[in-house]
Amino acid sequence: MEVASDRLVLENNIPVKFLASPNHGAALQEKAFIVIHYTEGQSFQAAVSWLTSPSSQVSSHLVIGRNGEVAQLVPFNIIAWHAGASTWNSYSSLNQYSVGIELDNAGMMKRSGNQWISYFGKVYPDSEVLVAPHKAYPSVMYGWHKYTDIQLKTAAEVAAALVRIYGFREILGHDDIAPKRKWDPGPAFPMEQFRLDVATLANGGVVTPPPPPTPTPTPPPDPTPENNPPINITTHYRVENLDNGQSAEYTWSTAFKPMVLLPVPYISLLTTGAEASHLDCGAASASMLLKAYLNSQMTPDEFYASIAPAANSFLSAAQLSSKLGKLGVLTEIRTLLSIQDLFGALASGKPLVLSMRYKVFEQAGLTEKSFDGPHFGVLVGMDVKNVYIHDPLYTNQMSGEAHAYPLEIFWNAWKDVVNDPKYPGTERSAIIPVAAVGFKLTRKVKVNLTSLNVRSGPGMNFPAVGVVRKDEILELSRELSGWGQIGPNRWVMLAYTLPA
């Protein structure tokens, strides 16, 4: 790899593909750091499209695909918008002092049943997922999309060229310069080995893969099976009631075996239809239940206005429950619940609207936005490590949908809402539907256009992967931002359909 006129050039003197992003600043003040990111997207092309879209307001200097493909979006002497609010030693706002490299990678995974699922809904096999804690939360296990060998090799060669030509001093992860706000590149990225590889290449060396470990000899099996009965190891868990100190023991199969996420459509309060009030997290949560149970299209603003509260005031759990009942979703309000109560409701197919003290999540570095007061969200899943909450306070809907919060931190937020000095609420409360939503939510639509493109994701920036014809009946398994999913990586724009 070489650099000519601040653009990357391959060894055969062919410049890498340059796709100029409009999202950039002036000249770099200093070339000090190389910052590694993951795209948290479904493809190399999708990442390039997003980072070059004027509406995204983000960019990076390079994107490296899983097959080693490279695209440059911003010259190396120009500021790209990749680091955001960031600090490292005496530096702040590191966009001014760094080059950003994005690696095509799905990022953190959530577990649903026996599958790993990305934030954009794609299922990944166990072989592509590393289960490990993030350094910000060493006691909590997560799933992380693995990087490919050719991707890491290409990234090392690129970084070595930047170090050799410009003198960049350090290689950092986004999670180093924005700890607890950002998770990329995550534990699947071998940062220490990567730094060693870059140093070796920058000094003219050659990186060779380490030798495979010597396999441990396996003794031959005993020829008499009756002498070797199968071993059945049962893992036990002790669950403690944090209020009274009482504990109970469970096996994996009885208490917290991971369950599927309930099919509740996600609605953000930071999007169209939720502009009237910044206190409509309760309205957004109620709108999610209405859509799940009744396929209602009521927006958070419409729900908020239908109650007609005092100007710019919080909606209470009682107001939400009463209005839901009038609209056809009967619920009950319960308080002083336990984790086991939540699990029981989810296991019976009932999503719960919870009130939590959002400041607890914010102080743990787990939120996108700051919010001082009680916050409503919809609990849609749970496992031994996390609760999964449709958190309406996210700009990116794929981030807010089934957002994972560690159990211990969630417990504190759910319990501590009663101690909020400005807006005290009810401890460990929930709005629980009387009936189950079920484990499959579908509706049918009819194509109302001569031909309608099917895209690989919910947006015009995703590539077309097929076509459906007028009057064709489609079954939707998921809806997001005006798009409907009709199969794995197959989405259509709902504006060109009619209810079937």
Side-chain angles (χ1 to χ4, degrees):
M1 298 281 185
E2 294 297 332
V3 175
S5 301
D6 295 301
R7 295 191 185 182
L8 191 66
V9 178
L10 301 177
E11 292 178 355
N12 52 9
N13 293 322
I14 298 176
V16 303
K17 179 167 41 179
F18 187 86
L19 300 165
S21 174
N23 310 320
H24 61 79
L28 283 174
Q29 295 187 25
E30 183 182 350
K31 299 180 178 70
F33 310 108
I34 297 172
V35 180
I36 307 296
H37 307 258
Y38 59 46
T39 60
E40 200 174 17
Q42 67 173 358
S43 70
F44 172 85
Q45 187 56 52
V48 171
S49 296
W50 176 247
L51 295 168
T52 56
S53 169
S55 63
S56 74
Q57 293 294 290
V58 290
S59 61
S60 68
H61 292 86
L62 299 172
V63 181
I64 300 178
R66 298 185 67 76
N67 63 355
E69 181 180 6
V70 182
Q72 185 166 359
L73 314 182
V74 178
F76 295 130
N77 62 333
I78 300 297
I79 293 172
W81 298 340
H82 63 96
S86 51
T87 58
W88 186 252
N89 295 331
S90 60
Y91 290 82
S92 61
S93 300
L94 267 70
N95 280 338
Q96 306 171 72
Y97 315 103
S98 64
V99 159
I101 299 177
E102 293 271 358
L103 303 183
D104 176 18
N105 182 280
M108 186 192 296
M109 304 280 185
K110 54 191 176 185
R111 191 71 171 173
S112 179
N114 60 354
Q115 297 177 321
W116 289 106
I117 301 180
S118 66
Y119 278 120
F120 46 86
K122 183 177 177 180
V123 175
Y124 289 83
D126 289 351
S127 61
E128 292 188 28
V129 179
L130 172 71
V131 180
H134 192 276
K135 59 188 176 185
Y137 295 97
S139 63
V140 183
M141 302 296 287
Y142 300 94
W144 305 91
H145 193 198
K146 294 179 181 178
Y147 298 87
T148 66
D149 291 341
I150 186 62
Q151 188 177 36
L152 294 173
K153 181 177 182 295
T154 303
E157 291 173 351
V158 169
L162 296 176
V163 170
R164 187 174 63 252
I165 294 166
Y166 292 107
F168 284 95
R169 299 196 303 271
E170 289 187 80
I171 301 172
L172 304 169
H174 203 181
D175 49 9
D176 291 319
I177 63 176
K180 295 191 175 181
R181 182 176 74 85
K182 291 296 182 179
W183 300 76
D184 53 320
F189 186 83
M191 181 60 80
E192 294 306 317
Q193 184 61 49
F194 183 80
R195 288 169 175 153
L196 292 173
D197 291 345
V198 171
T200 300
L201 290 167
N203 292 320
V206 177
V207 175
T208 58
T214 303
T216 302
T218 303
D222 191 319
T224 55
E226 62 272 13
N227 294 331
N228 291 277
I231 299 174
N232 183 18
I233 300 175
T234 301
T235 303
H236 293 264
Y237 295 88
R238 185 170 297 279
V239 181
E240 181 179 356
N241 185 320
L242 299 181
D243 285 327
N244 55 28
Q246 295 179 350
S247 63
E249 189 171 285
Y250 298 89
T251 65
W252 174 259
S253 62
T254 55
F256 295 106
K257 187 173 182 179
M259 59 185 299
V260 297
L261 298 174
L262 297 183
V264 178
Y266 174 79
I267 296 175
S268 170
L269 61 82
L270 302 176
T271 187
T272 304
E275 301 98 331
S277 171
H278 71 286
L279 301 177
D280 50 5
C281 56
S285 298
S287 296
M288 294 187 216
L289 291 194
L290 289 171
K291 195 164 187 177
Y293 280 88
L294 306 175
N295 197 31
S296 166
Q297 303 302 310
M298 178 176 280
T299 67
D301 280 347
E302 291 168 342
F303 188 95
Y304 189 87
S306 70
I307 296 179
N312 209 28
S313 64
F314 289 105
L315 297 181
S316 69
Q319 288 174 310
L320 296 177
S321 179
S322 174
K323 187 63 181 181
L324 282 168
K326 292 175 181 177
L327 294 172
V329 179
L330 298 178
T331 62
E332 60 177 340
I333 300 175
R334 294 180 59 192
T335 61
L336 300 177
L337 298 172
S338 67
I339 293 294
Q340 292 93 327
D341 293 326
L342 298 185
F343 178 84
L346 291 171
S348 63
K350 300 176 182 178
L352 305 92
V353 177
L354 305 177
S355 177
M356 302 153 288
R357 189 178 183 189
Y358 208 60
K359 183 68 70 175
V360 175
F361 294 138
E362 180 187 339
Q363 291 171 344
L366 297 178
T367 64
E368 175 190 341
K369 302 291 185 181
S370 299
F371 184 71
D372 189 12
H375 179 68
F376 286 104
V378 182
L379 181 67
V380 294
M382 183 177 180
D383 60 27
V384 294
K385 297 294 185 181
N386 303 302
V387 293
Y388 298 92
I389 295 174
H390 280 2
D391 185 343
L393 198 54
Y394 274 85
T395 306
N396 183 339
Q397 296 190 15
M398 291 183 181
S399 296
E401 182 180 15
H403 192 89
Y405 288 113
L407 273 172
E408 62 215 89
I409 298 174
F410 160 73
W411 173 266
N412 291 333
W414 192 36
K415 187 174 184 292
D416 199 42
V417 70
V418 71
N419 296 319
D420 192 308
K422 292 184 179 179
Y423 315 99
T426 304
E427 179 180 336
R428 292 179 286 137
S429 65
I431 302 172
I432 308 176
V434 173
V437 71
F439 291 94
K440 185 178 182 183
L441 178 65
T442 61
R443 74 181 180 99
K444 293 182 179 180
V445 295
K446 182 169 65 174
V447 179
N448 193 35
L449 200 65
T450 303
S451 64
L452 176 61
N453 280 335
V454 177
R455 298 191 177 271
S456 64
M460 294 296 293
N461 57 318
F462 290 91
V465 294
V467 173
V468 289
R469 304 296 179 184
K470 186 174 177 62
D471 295 330
E472 188 173 339
I473 303 298
L474 309 175
E475 187 174 83
L476 307 180
S477 60
R478 186 181 178 204
E479 297 178 44
L480 182 65
S481 304
W483 291 76
Q485 187 172 21
I486 61 173
N489 301 319
R490 291 172 60 82
W491 294 75
V492 295
M493 186 180 287
L494 296 178
Y496 300 111
T497 67
L498 298 171

